[in-house]
Amino acid sequence: METLLMLVLAMPIAGGVTLGLVGHLPRARDVNAVFSLGTLLAAIALTSMVIENGPFLAVGQWFFVDPLNVFLVTLTAFVGFTTSLFSRPYMQVEVDRGKMTPRRMRLYHSMYQFFNGMMLLALTTNNLGIMWVAMEAATLTTVLLVSVYRTAASLEAAWKYFILCGVGIAQALFGTIVVYLAAENAIGPADALTWTKLAEARNLLDPNILAIAFAFLLLGYGTKVGLVPVHNWLPDAHAEGPTPISAVLSGLLLNVALYAVLRCKVLADGAMQNGLPGRMMVGLGLLSVLVAAFFRFR
């Protein structure tokens, strides 16, 4: 199972490196789809192994796969593959229209694979710090993908995304540091960011500190989910970037960010034991729905 997990993570990284070299060639669209298919097949095999044998740790305690994240891994790989198929004729049309140059095509294909790789890393890592790093790396690749047309509108959308999500990811970093401070004395500094260790000792964590940490983590990762009041990047990024990127933003980034919030909620629930984290999530979700309805029907 560890070999399958490493294959799932290695395929998009290898694809990103390869397409960084040959992504401008006419057959690069097919290479992009082949790497995405390889990732999907490895993810399906990994999922079947987890269904049969249960959760497992890999590479010591650095990676953790369970029934929650393994299906998201497969969903991520599936959306990545199907979108890569749609991307083939779509990007050819963009080339014919003169909107994509060979240099932009190389950037697009390589960042597409790296984006998928960072999403898979965020899902499977057992370390809250590495999960934050993967989400930050996904932010940087998304900025490059949204701005790939290099028009004034796409550059503005990319900068808006970068600034808002940069502020959000900084808050998530602060929340991660606060979790470390809460866990340092309870389980030791070596395991203070290891999620499985934190989950086992969540009843020992200071509830007041975890409340502060979860508030920052919810708002920080909620920025990528598009929750109000940190949602302003979402319309522009979807409108100005290539349509395949809009698809992976909706189908992958939002899901992985919500997964990060859920992992943190497990810790906050165990420490606080008063249901507040769930009410905070429901409150922000309802606020987002109300704001969306207001602008839709005003």
Side-chain angles (χ1 to χ4, degrees):
M1 287 193 290
E2 185 170 315
T3 302
L4 282 174
L5 174 60
M6 292 300 102
L7 185 60
V8 168
L9 297 174
M11 285 294 290
I13 302 302
V17 173
T18 301
L19 289 165
L21 299 174
V22 302
H24 60 291
L25 300 178
R27 302 301 294 181
R29 297 185 293 274
D30 299 325
V31 175
N32 187 41
V34 168
F35 274 106
S36 298
L37 176 61
T39 304
L40 175 60
L41 294 176
I44 292 173
L46 179 65
T47 302
S48 64
M49 293 292 291
V50 171
I51 292 173
E52 182 178 351
N53 300 310
F56 70 94
L57 291 167
V59 193
Q61 297 184 3
W62 289 102
F63 294 94
F64 175 65
V65 181
D66 66 353
L68 173 61
N69 62 8
V70 75
F71 288 103
L72 287 174
V73 167
T74 302
L75 176 63
T76 297
F78 176 75
V79 173
F81 171 61
T82 53
T83 305
S84 71
L85 294 180
F86 168 73
S87 175
R88 293 171 67 251
Y90 180 91
M91 297 311 292
Q92 181 59 53
V93 172
E94 299 296 82
V95 170
D96 294 340
R97 290 176 175 175
K99 297 179 69 175
M100 294 294 289
T101 64
R103 182 177 180 181
R104 293 175 188 175
M105 287 296 293
R106 185 165 61 244
L107 176 67
Y108 170 82
H109 284 127
S110 60
M111 290 301 106
Y112 183 91
Q113 288 293 323
F114 281 132
F115 174 82
N116 281 275
M118 292 304 102
M119 293 293 93
L120 294 168
L121 176 60
L123 287 171
T124 56
T125 182
N126 192 32
N127 187 283
L128 296 183
I130 295 178
M131 181 171 67
W132 180 88
V133 170
M135 295 296 291
E136 173 66 7
T139 299
L140 298 178
T141 58
T142 305
V143 168
L144 295 173
L145 288 168
V146 170
S147 64
V148 71
Y149 288 144
R150 294 298 189 271
T151 63
S154 66
L155 290 172
E156 179 184 351
W159 272 109
K160 182 180 291 186
Y161 175 86
F162 179 74
I163 293 171
L164 290 176
C165 288
V167 172
I169 207 70
Q171 294 181 70
L173 175 60
F174 182 77
T176 303
I177 294 172
V178 174
V179 171
Y180 177 87
L181 293 175
E184 184 179 13
N185 294 327
I187 61 177
D191 296 321
L193 288 179
T194 303
W195 188 85
T196 49
K197 296 292 185 181
L198 288 167
E200 292 173 359
R202 58 186 182 272
N203 295 332
L204 303 177
L205 303 178
D206 188 308
N208 296 318
I209 297 179
L210 259 292
I212 296 172
F214 184 74
F216 279 96
L217 289 164
L218 175 59
L219 192 60
Y221 289 128
T223 304
K224 290 186 174 295
V225 179
L227 296 177
V228 173
V230 284
H231 65 291
N232 291 341
W233 64 268
L234 199 148
D236 289 345
H238 283 273
E240 300 302 334
T243 300
I245 301 310
S246 177
V248 295
L249 285 178
S250 298
L252 302 184
L253 181 63
L254 273 63
N255 294 340
V256 175
L258 184 58
Y259 164 83
V261 173
L262 289 175
R263 285 297 198 198
C264 298
K265 177 182 178 294
V266 170
L267 305 180
D269 276 334
M272 300 168 65
Q273 298 183 357
N274 58 6
L276 179 60
R279 292 195 295 271
M280 292 170 63
M281 292 181 65
V282 171
L284 272 182
L286 287 176
L287 180 61
S288 300
V289 171
L290 291 174
V291 171
F294 171 77
F295 283 103
R296 174 64 178 84
F297 296 109
R298 68 173 180 172

